[in-house]
Amino acid sequence: MLTLHDALDRLLAAATPVSGERAIPTIACAGRVLAQEQRSAIAVPPLDNSAMDGYAFNHADVVAAAGADGRVTLPISQRITAGSVGLPLRPGTAARIFTGAPIPPGADTVLMQERTEADAEGQQVTLLDVPAAGTAVRRRGEDIGEGDTILPAGRKLTPQDVALAASVGLATLPVYRRVRVAVFFTGDELRMPGEPLPPGAIYNSNRFALVALLERLGCEVKDLGQVPDKLEATRTALREAVQQADLIVTSGGVSVGEEDHVKPAVEAEGRLDLWQVAIKPGKPLALGAVRGGDGPTGEVPFIGLPGNPVSSFVTFLTLVRPFVLKLQGVADAAPRSYPMRAGFSWTRPDPRRHEYLRVRLGANGELECFPNQGSGVLTSVAWADGLVENPPGTVIAPGDIVRFLPLAELLG
């Protein structure tokens, strides 16, 4: 069997980012992958400005004029609102200023209005204390300097990234085109929800999981539906998929049974390598390619997932997701894990395979483990908010530190 890390390395080596980029409005870029590094042409903030509503003054002038009680009364010489620029501050005066308004030349400190007393006419203000010089002043460029890199190439853009780009005036961003993924499913026993369920049949949950997972990753999904368990029908589906996809993903049908037609169909239309990956749930994985693609190699990658629903789900998150991210142009595609404390026992680990245990964070801050970790127990992944990656042969006792992969990251 291939180790998990060897399998991931081989998958990523076989993934070539899609070609083609386009500039689209920044407001529509969340979830897309940035094709070029972005730098700021301006400083943010562009001018020194007030961090709060209050009064701006020259600190040295105020210190010199303050009485024994620390108070000082100053005439108010101007009023500066956000979006306007004040005049140079007259010595010995204060400017009424509002949050975000530029600090006028000659002023260097702001005192919040709650620590002041202004007369009814707005002609003068008493500062109840004198703060340190520079208080409540946001300096020009303290967030972003002119020419700073704000977003690296290969980053999958978040809403906060989009906001950052907008804050420096970028109306459009260059992004890679969406990855097109064709999916189809084999198995005469499969039925769609809403259809009658005869003896021996099951509902096709993998179709719903895989389409949703790919859409969450930002792919254009070509759902070719269910394909009859016949060799020619499977070959026809592959020929249709290769015309409209950058990647083909199937679930089930890559074993060596008489009704498993995906393996011979892919071999007839391209090439296939069957892997045994040392993960649980999971293990069987098919990687290959189908001839007829419009890319530089003339082939479209093919990945065949196991048919058990949890095996398919876990294998997708740990192996297929990084492959898709690299196709999208994401620079760092490997899943991340975090140290967390276990609140459960795992006394019979698999001696040869990495295990992915379905867990969730309990109220006490420790991880709870779903009691039935079977590969067909779909309730375990609906219940969980993460996976524990447990190395082969590793016993877990309550209080041990384990590697936690949050589903919130793996699903996006």
Side-chain angles (χ1 to χ4, degrees):
M1 287 189 293
L2 288 174
T3 68
L4 169 68
H5 301 298
D6 284 345
L8 185 57
D9 288 345
R10 291 195 193 187
L11 271 170
L12 294 180
T16 301
V18 297
S19 60
E21 61 183 71
R22 62 200 64 181
I24 66 173
T26 299
I27 200 167
C29 283
R32 304 297 291 271
V33 179
L34 191 63
Q36 299 174 25
E37 174 186 89
Q38 297 300 296
R39 293 178 177 269
S40 176
I42 64 171
V44 179
L47 297 169
D48 291 357
N49 69 86
S50 179
M52 57 187 62
D53 295 346
Y55 293 85
F57 52 89
N58 181 280
H59 188 266
D61 288 352
V62 167
V63 169
D69 59 359
R71 297 187 175 202
V72 60
T73 298
L74 301 173
I76 300 171
S77 58
Q78 58 181 308
R79 185 175 185 271
I80 310 172
T81 60
S84 64
V85 178
L87 299 171
L89 186 69
R90 295 205 313 267
T93 70
R96 177 69 167 117
I97 199 165
F98 296 87
T99 303
I103 302 295
D108 59 10
T109 306
V110 173
L111 182 62
M112 68 173 69
Q113 64 185 23
E114 292 84 355
R115 298 297 303 153
T116 67
E117 293 177 351
D119 64 2
E121 293 77 24
Q123 298 298 308
Q124 61 181 21
V125 63
T126 298
L127 311 181
L128 302 182
D129 54 59
V130 181
T135 295
V137 175
R138 296 186 290 216
R139 297 299 180 187
R140 179 184 185 275
E142 72 173 33
D143 185 7
I144 302 168
E146 187 174 341
D148 283 357
T149 297
I150 60 164
L151 294 168
R155 183 179 180 92
K156 193 161 192 177
L157 297 169
T158 64
Q160 52 269 41
D161 293 332
V162 172
L164 183 61
S167 77
V168 300
L170 296 175
T172 63
L173 291 173
V175 297
Y176 290 110
R177 66 170 176 83
R178 294 189 186 276
V179 171
R180 303 164 301 168
V181 183
V183 297
F184 65 85
F185 306 85
T186 64
D188 288 343
E189 76 280 10
L190 298 176
R191 297 291 185 274
M192 286 294 288
E195 296 178 354
L197 195 65
I202 58 172
Y203 287 122
N204 188 357
S205 62
N206 281 350
R207 182 177 183 182
F208 287 77
L210 290 180
V211 169
L213 285 166
L214 289 163
E215 288 180 343
R216 283 282 292 265
L217 286 177
C219 300
E220 288 184 11
V221 181
K222 313 292 184 180
D223 182 5
L224 304 183
Q226 185 172 330
V227 175
D229 272 334
K230 297 185 182 301
L231 178 60
E232 192 52 44
T234 308
R235 293 185 64 177
T236 298
L238 289 171
R239 289 193 291 267
E240 180 182 354
V242 80
Q243 298 301 317
Q244 52 186 317
D246 306 300
L247 170 65
I248 303 168
V249 178
T250 64
S251 174
V254 291
S255 188
V256 293
E258 293 179 2
E259 298 302 320
D260 292 326
H261 297 296
V262 174
K263 178 179 182 292
V266 175
E267 289 173 331
E269 298 294 329
R271 53 188 173 83
L272 187 69
D273 187 10
L274 287 176
W275 294 355
Q276 298 289 306
V277 182
I279 62 172
K280 181 181 180 179
K283 190 167 132 178
L285 182 75
L287 177 68
V290 178
R291 296 186 300 271
D294 58 8
T297 66
E299 295 181 326
V300 170
F302 168 88
I303 297 178
L305 294 174
N308 279 327
V310 181
S311 298
S312 178
F313 182 80
V314 169
T315 306
F316 181 94
L317 293 181
T318 55
L319 294 170
V320 181
R321 174 184 176 271
F323 188 93
V324 170
L325 291 178
K326 188 171 179 185
L327 289 184
Q328 292 175 330
V330 174
D332 184 11
R336 296 186 298 177
S337 62
Y338 302 89
M340 295 285 291
R341 191 176 303 278
F344 62 91
S345 297
W346 191 251
T347 59
R348 300 179 63 185
D350 190 290
R352 301 178 60 201
R353 294 190 284 172
H354 264 82
E355 296 173 292
Y356 285 92
L357 309 177
R358 279 76 76 200
V359 298
R360 71 179 179 190
L361 186 62
N364 62 355
E366 296 182 343
L367 297 174
E368 304 170 349
C369 188
F370 194 77
N372 187 342
Q373 293 286 321
S375 62
V377 183
L378 199 53
T379 50
S380 66
V381 294
W383 172 90
D385 56 23
L387 304 172
V388 162
E389 180 189 342
N390 195 43
T394 303
V395 172
I396 300 173
D400 286 351
I401 300 300
V402 295
R403 296 203 290 261
F404 176 69
L405 291 80
L407 289 181
E409 287 193 17
L410 293 175
L411 298 177

